[in-house]
Amino acid sequence: MQQQIKVDYHRLRPTYRVPRFATLRTVGALILRELGTTNGRRPGGYLWKIIEPIGGIFAMTLLFSLFLKAPPLGTSFAFFYATGMIPFLIFMNINKALSAALSYSKQLLVYPRVTIIDALLARLILNALTQISISVLTLSTLLLVLDTGTRLIAGKIVLAHVLVIGLGTGWGILNCLLISVMPLWQSVWSILTRPLVLLSGVIFMYNMVPMPYRDWLWFNPLIHVVGLMRGGFYPNYDDSYVSVGYVVLVSLLPAVLGLVFLRRYYRDFRV
């Protein structure tokens, strides 16, 4: 009599266990990859991502201060300009980094463990830390070197940084989607955002703009962020027009819209 052997097919089936903290490990690996590939062949490596913007800000502040001696606020036009330019650059750089997240990580997204969320998080964390470093180094240096006539209100300064990072993130995610669907959008966005440096209160105060143009400028969220930043350094500055809720709204809407479609279709966009 032949002996029957029972086989447990469940034990023979290959199993795949997702490692603990898989997302954190993936994001960390993507950050290290970008650190190694960005300016990796240049002396100083990734430090140039911090040095170059700081040098550019100092060059522009010096140029403007030669022609405009009396700032609208405080005693230093260089510092007045920096408090407007830094939020603008944070928005532009984070938006640019996230817009290119899909194309930058295209080859890695073929692996099941790597998702578009991981690629976005890696670029956001790295670039947000970079922009904060640039802001702290630039403003601290100016405060030490110049007589700025300012007094710090830490809460407003921190909130302004959080809001502008969120704003850059929201529009960066949406632009990542739009550029993937329609590559021409990258050129269109570049054209649309060029006047922003003049329309975001970088070299003027919102309160000085005559009506009805002031009401129109109110809908530019960067006006609110720049106003909040300046309110954190100039206690006498009237920043009552700043609406935190409005900035949060125009940051969340594009972020949610972009994430909904990117999570569902990003593997199709890679083709």
Side-chain angles (χ1 to χ4, degrees):
M1 176 180 287
Q2 296 181 352
Q3 185 177 2
Q4 294 182 352
I5 301 176
K6 295 182 179 181
V7 179
D8 189 351
Y9 291 100
H10 292 285
R11 292 185 177 181
L12 296 178
R13 185 179 302 170
T15 59
Y16 174 74
R17 296 180 62 185
V18 179
R20 296 179 64 185
F21 309 110
T23 299
L24 292 178
R25 293 181 182 182
T26 303
V27 171
L30 291 173
I31 291 175
L32 292 175
R33 171 179 177 262
E34 184 161 346
L35 282 171
T37 56
T38 305
N39 297 314
R41 297 181 179 179
R42 301 170 63 182
Y46 195 80
L47 285 176
W48 282 105
K49 294 286 284 187
I50 298 176
I51 296 172
E52 286 181 355
I54 291 177
I57 291 172
F58 276 114
M60 291 299 294
T61 53
L62 178 62
L63 179 64
F64 275 103
S65 61
L66 291 176
F67 297 99
L68 301 171
K69 299 293 184 181
L73 289 172
T75 57
S76 169
F77 183 84
F79 193 81
F80 173 82
Y81 173 78
T83 55
M85 194 63 184
I86 286 175
F88 174 78
L89 290 179
I90 292 176
F91 168 76
M92 295 298 291
N93 289 329
I94 289 182
N95 171 78
K96 181 180 178 181
L98 294 183
S99 297
L102 188 58
S103 59
Y104 182 80
S105 303
K106 182 189 305 184
Q107 297 176 345
L108 296 177
L109 290 172
V110 297
Y111 299 102
R113 286 273 303 278
V114 182
T115 68
I116 186 61
I117 303 299
D118 298 329
L120 290 169
L121 277 176
R123 301 215 95 188
L124 172 60
I125 293 171
L126 181 58
N127 285 276
L129 291 176
T130 301
Q131 297 305 313
I132 291 173
S133 300
I134 292 170
S135 177
V136 171
L137 289 172
T138 304
L139 295 174
S140 299
T141 302
L142 290 174
L143 285 170
L144 289 173
V145 173
L146 302 175
D147 178 17
T148 59
T150 59
R151 189 178 65 193
L152 276 62
I153 304 176
K156 289 187 177 182
I157 298 171
V158 172
L159 181 57
H161 281 83
V162 171
L163 289 178
V164 77
I165 289 172
L167 188 64
T169 300
W171 285 96
I173 292 173
L174 180 61
N175 283 331
C176 182
L177 169 68
L178 295 176
I179 291 172
S180 303
V181 176
M182 184 178 59
L184 181 62
W185 175 252
Q186 187 169 6
S187 298
V188 175
W189 176 260
S190 178
I191 294 172
L192 292 176
T193 52
R194 283 182 183 178
L196 276 181
V197 70
L198 299 176
L199 300 176
S200 301
V202 173
I203 58 177
F204 64 87
M205 291 198 308
Y206 171 80
N207 314 71
M208 299 172 60
V209 178
M211 301 293 286
Y213 308 108
R214 191 189 310 171
D215 289 340
W216 300 346
L217 283 178
W218 188 92
F219 291 97
N220 176 5
L222 286 173
I223 280 284
H224 300 262
V225 175
V226 171
L228 188 61
M229 175 73 88
R230 290 206 168 118
F233 289 98
Y234 301 98
N236 295 328
Y237 180 63
D238 180 14
D239 58 359
S240 58
Y241 64 90
V242 172
S243 173
V244 174
Y246 174 70
V247 179
V248 171
L249 180 64
V250 296
S251 302
L252 285 178
L253 287 179
V256 171
L257 181 62
L259 283 175
V260 167
F261 287 96
L262 279 174
R263 290 190 64 184
R264 176 64 180 84
Y265 299 108
Y266 76 94
R267 296 192 185 277
D268 298 329
F269 295 152
R270 290 189 297 102
V271 180

